[in-house]
Amino acid sequence: MADTVSERAKERRPEMSGHKGIPKGVVLGKDGKPCRTCASFRDWAAMTRKNTGSTAPTTSSAAAAAGAATATPPIDKPPEDCPADVETLGRGTWTFLHTLSATYPSHATPNQQSDMRAFLMLFAKLYPCWNCAQDFQAWMQKGGNEPRVRGRGEFGTWMCEAHNEVNRKLGKKEFDCRRWEERWRTGWGDGRCD
Ligand SMILES: Cc1cc2nc3c(=O)[nH]c(=O)nc-3n(C[C@H](O)[C@H](O)[C@H](O)COP(=O)(O)OP(=O)(O)OC[C@H]3O[C@@H](n4cnc5c(N)ncnc54)[C@H](O)[C@@H]3O)c2cc1C
């Protein structure tokens, strides 16, 4: 039985544990089954063999009659009405979190501050991509990264820094946190959001 966070993580990250039959990019959930909300749709579909680019159902009756399979390019995004992959979930969640900062009071009362701290702690624990949640919790617990929630200005900047931490981890471009309010609260100066 694993007794450290990293050993427990190894048990559920197939690429780290040498788990057979599950491609890199797909991790196991707490129930021991592949975690859909932890994987990109491309990796998920590669595992379920619907999206490998090798074979796919065809609409051509002649080809179908001949038993032929048609190659299709891999799809990056799940169809709109399918369960969320890690990216769809992430985009929706960041929209919620940045909008939460944008609508936070400029000077929060002690009660509002403690509610927000409690929310963030539970959010980081319950986020439904478990390995994302684990890394996010670890980041929040590092000295200097504790949520700053006295008012909108510092909270919005903290949220932007939190998002940039994930951007760095994924090799994405960092966002200029001086501009978080234009992106999430006021809209850009050129008026295109009005
Ligand atoms: C807490 C959390 C942890 C995550 N951990 C992982 C993980 O471990 N692995 C993984 O694959 N995915 C993770 N994700 C998802 C990942 O962050 C992205 O949401 C996903 O990859 C889709 O990225 P995207 O390029 O569409 O834009 P997103 O990163 O979702 O950003 C949405 C929009 O926010 C704006 N934006 C970007 N950066 C900032 C910023 N710093 N401040 C303000 N606005 C910004 C941009 O306009 C961007 O278009 C996590 C998401 C969350 C909420």
Side-chain angles (χ1 to χ4, degrees):
M1 184 73 181
D3 52 1
T4 65
V5 168
S6 72
E7 278 170 356
R8 282 199 297 278
K10 271 186 201 168
E11 282 180 350
R12 296 201 296 269
R13 291 191 204 230
E15 75 279 18
M16 290 163 75
S17 64
H19 196 284
K20 295 238 165 55
I22 297 184
K24 205 166 191 284
V26 178
V27 300
L28 301 181
K30 290 175 183 163
D31 57 2
K33 295 182 184 158
C35 170
R36 190 194 279 256
T37 45
C38 306
S40 71
F41 182 65
R42 177 184 280 258
D43 290 337
W44 181 264
M47 182 190 67
T48 59
R49 296 176 184 274
K50 289 176 187 153
N51 197 23
T52 56
S54 55
T55 59
T58 174
T59 52
S60 153
S61 55
T70 310
T72 51
I75 305 164
D76 281 331
K77 283 186 186 166
E80 289 282 320
D81 59 350
C82 292
D85 69 345
V86 72
E87 289 167 14
T88 308
L89 174 68
R91 272 191 290 276
T93 304
W94 286 124
T95 299
F96 167 71
L97 290 173
H98 291 299
T99 307
L100 189 66
S101 346
T103 53
Y104 194 63
S106 47
H107 300 283
T109 64
N111 270 350
Q112 288 169 324
Q113 294 181 41
S114 76
D115 282 353
M116 190 54 81
R117 275 197 207 91
F119 166 75
L120 291 168
M121 221 180 67
L122 279 177
F123 163 81
K125 196 167 162 188
L126 299 175
Y127 188 63
C129 159
W130 73 266
N131 53 308
C132 307
Q134 209 167 52
D135 290 349
F136 196 66
Q137 278 180 69
W139 178 80
M140 267 176 58
Q141 283 160 13
K142 259 197 210 152
N145 294 338
E146 302 85 10
R148 300 191 298 274
V149 295
R150 283 174 305 180
R152 185 194 303 138
E154 69 171 30
F155 184 40
T157 303
W158 178 85
M159 193 63 80
C160 179
E161 289 168 5
H163 193 162
N164 271 342
E165 171 66 16
V166 180
N167 287 344
R168 277 192 294 275
K169 179 171 99 174
L170 299 179
K172 294 186 192 208
K173 201 166 166 263
E174 285 184 42
F175 188 89
D176 178 354
C177 288
R178 290 169 303 184
R179 311 203 70 175
W180 81 265
E181 286 205 68
E182 287 170 273
R183 170 66 179 89
W184 293 105
R185 195 172 89 84
T186 59
W188 301 101
D190 62 9
R192 71 181 184 272
C193 306
D194 302 320

